[in-house]
Amino acid sequence: TKKQLIALLRERDDWGFYAGMDFGFTHNFAVTTGAADGYRMFIIDAFCIPNLLPDGQVNICNKRIKHLNPAVYADPENPQMVAVLKRAGFRMKKWIKGPGSLLGGMDTVKLKLKEPMGQPTLFFLAEDPGVEELFKQMGQYHWKLNANGEMSDVPDEKDDDGPDSCRYLVMNKFSASRSGSAHMSKNDETVQTFSNSEVWTMDNM
């Protein structure tokens, strides 16, 4: 069962828990939680809930993820809510949502789903309702059309809260750029390594 799986993961010293969080009221409050060992990430929980006030957001996080004590990468554009969750005992991690972070984060997710060499390193828990819904939304994630009916470089906001929370999680735990630099977060510190941009292997990832 999912409960037994999480219990097994918590017994291991080489596994850590991480969460990505996208805030919203009219939009969904979305949280994606994963377990990672090195370069692999396993999405084990996800939910999107609309119309939650701050206390409701704290309460649902207390029920769903607090027992895992994950490192939480929340959307930094809502610092007030980040502070509320930090006061509630969550490990809120600082990060910068700078120019290019959208495309860079999307590239990182795509890289984890389809490694140039070897097997995927991003996995989703089958038959879990929240994770299955997240996976469905990621499959429907697409660009907006402009007035001429052409694809823009801005994603459509319909059902994007879950995919955004997953992107925040993956891009902060693992990030890669087109220049061939890769960053891996380890023990709450950022470690940077470099590789040939045309050759990705498990070792340099």
Side-chain angles (χ1 to χ4, degrees):
T1 67
K2 177 178 177 177
K3 184 176 181 180
Q4 291 170 327
L5 172 63
I6 291 174
L8 288 172
L9 295 177
R10 295 182 69 181
E11 291 177 0
R12 297 289 299 270
D13 294 332
D14 53 341
W15 286 79
F17 293 96
Y18 306 85
M21 190 176 290
D22 191 40
F23 298 108
F25 181 73
T26 54
H27 276 253
N28 291 315
F29 173 58
V31 180
T32 298
T33 305
D37 68 331
Y39 55 82
R40 297 184 301 172
M41 172 70 74
F42 297 81
I43 304 302
I44 58 173
D45 191 72
F47 60 88
C48 292
I49 304 175
N51 304 323
L52 282 180
L53 294 172
D55 60 341
Q57 295 180 23
V58 172
N59 289 338
I60 191 67
C61 287
N62 282 337
K63 294 177 182 177
R64 296 288 290 261
I65 69 172
K66 194 166 190 179
H67 65 288
L68 300 176
N69 191 29
V72 181
Y73 297 100
D75 187 345
E77 292 184 354
N78 192 336
Q80 294 87 357
M81 197 61 217
V82 171
V84 168
L85 286 160
K86 188 172 183 178
R87 286 197 299 270
F90 291 90
R91 292 197 296 138
M92 311 302 291
K93 311 304 292 183
K94 291 183 179 180
W95 64 285
I96 299 173
K97 191 179 180 181
S101 66
L102 172 62
L103 293 179
M106 291 170 65
D107 283 347
T108 303
V109 173
K110 287 188 287 186
L111 178 65
K112 302 298 287 180
L113 287 169
K114 189 176 182 181
E115 294 280 2
M117 299 179 67
Q119 299 296 316
T121 52
L122 178 60
F123 303 90
F124 295 79
L125 183 61
E127 300 181 8
D128 180 84
V131 177
E132 292 276 10
E133 180 61 24
L134 169 65
F135 196 75
K136 176 183 175 183
Q137 291 175 356
M138 290 177 68
Q140 297 172 341
Y141 196 64
H142 62 279
W143 301 110
K144 275 185 178 179
L145 299 179
N146 60 26
N148 298 323
E150 300 170 338
M151 281 195 303
S152 68
D153 58 356
V154 179
D156 194 305
E157 294 184 356
K158 178 176 170 55
D159 295 329
D160 69 340
D161 309 294
D164 282 348
S165 68
C166 185
R167 174 166 54 88
Y168 298 155
L169 165 60
V170 175
M171 70 186 283
N172 281 288
K173 176 59 180 170
F174 317 96
S175 68
S177 72
R178 290 186 179 89
S179 65
S181 64
H183 301 71
M184 181 174 72
S185 174
K186 184 177 181 180
N187 297 329
D188 298 332
E189 297 179 356
T190 299
V191 180
Q192 183 172 6
T193 60
F194 296 91
S195 68
N196 184 327
S197 61
E198 297 179 354
V199 181
W200 290 94
T201 68
M202 290 299 184
D203 291 334
N204 62 37
M205 185 63 198

